[in-house]
Amino acid sequence: IYEKIEHSENWKQAESLVLAVLEELAAKLTSKRSLRGKNDTIERMLTYIQAHYHENDLSLDRLAVQFHLSPTYISKQFKEYTERNFIDYLIEIRIDASKALLANKDKKVNDIAEAIGYMNTRSFLRTFKKFTGMTPTEFREQAISKQHGQDTERT
């Protein structure tokens, strides 16, 4: 691919080469996913995580005890099935939940952090910023201004 790009006559030709490679990779990924099939154990774990994400002691070790499997095995199966590791999945669930709670301007950020499973507010703030690119307060202000803008459009 590098040689083909290097020998391209112009950037348009190089762009179409890269696009073709990306489309081929996407097709292979889709094919691999469809061949993978269902994993009932991981599906049950995903349901369990959804129900217990707000508990600060939710961990790979806790899943291992709950589902009578080793943490290493769960980690490998989880990654294979979801294409991300357990902790990233848990963080994503918690951040999504926090976004919904941040829409309520009366809830304190500390209370929100605790409600989604963070004992340490600083840890929540760092994680939220890393995953969203903004602080919870900035996110809240943006969400409220968007909501206010939609309310004004309706009237």
Side-chain angles (χ1 to χ4, degrees), residues 73-90:
Y73 179 78
I74 292 172
S75 180
K76 185 179 182 300
Q77 292 296 309
F78 198 94
K79 176 89 176 194
E80 205 172 278
Y81 189 71
T82 65
E83 296 181 349
R84 55 194 147 172
N85 62 38
F86 164 76
I87 197 65
D88 287 340
Y89 182 80
L90 178 59

Side-chain angles (χ1 to χ4, degrees), residues 79-131:
K79 176 89 176 194
E80 205 172 278
Y81 189 71
T82 65
E83 296 181 349
R84 55 194 147 172
N85 62 38
F86 164 76
I87 197 65
D88 287 340
Y89 182 80
L90 178 59
I91 288 169
E92 187 178 315
I93 297 292
R94 287 177 170 170
I95 295 300
D96 286 346
S98 72
K99 287 177 180 178
L101 294 171
L102 284 164
N104 178 350
K105 64 182 174 191
D106 296 331
K107 277 200 179 276
K108 293 180 180 169
V109 173
N110 293 359
D111 295 338
I112 291 171
E114 195 175 308
I116 63 164
Y118 282 88
M119 291 299 291
N120 182 329
T121 303
R122 273 198 177 131
S123 178
F124 167 66
L125 295 172
R126 251 190 329 273
T127 303
F128 192 93
K129 174 102 180 186
K130 180 180 174 188
F131 274 75

Side-chain angles (χ1 to χ4, degrees), residues 1 17-33 83:
I1 182 77
L17 281 169
V18 171
L19 189 59
V21 168
L22 290 175
E23 286 173 348
E24 186 180 330
L25 285 172
K28 284 180 182 177
L29 266 176
T30 303
S31 172
K32 184 179 177 186
R33 283 181 182 150
E83 296 181 349

Side-chain angles (χ1 to χ4, degrees), residues 44-58:
R44 286 195 337 268
M45 284 181 197
L46 295 174
T47 302
Y48 184 86
I49 293 166
Q50 286 286 341
H52 297 274
Y53 71 86
H54 60 279
E55 297 168 13
N56 66 355
D57 65 338
L58 184 58

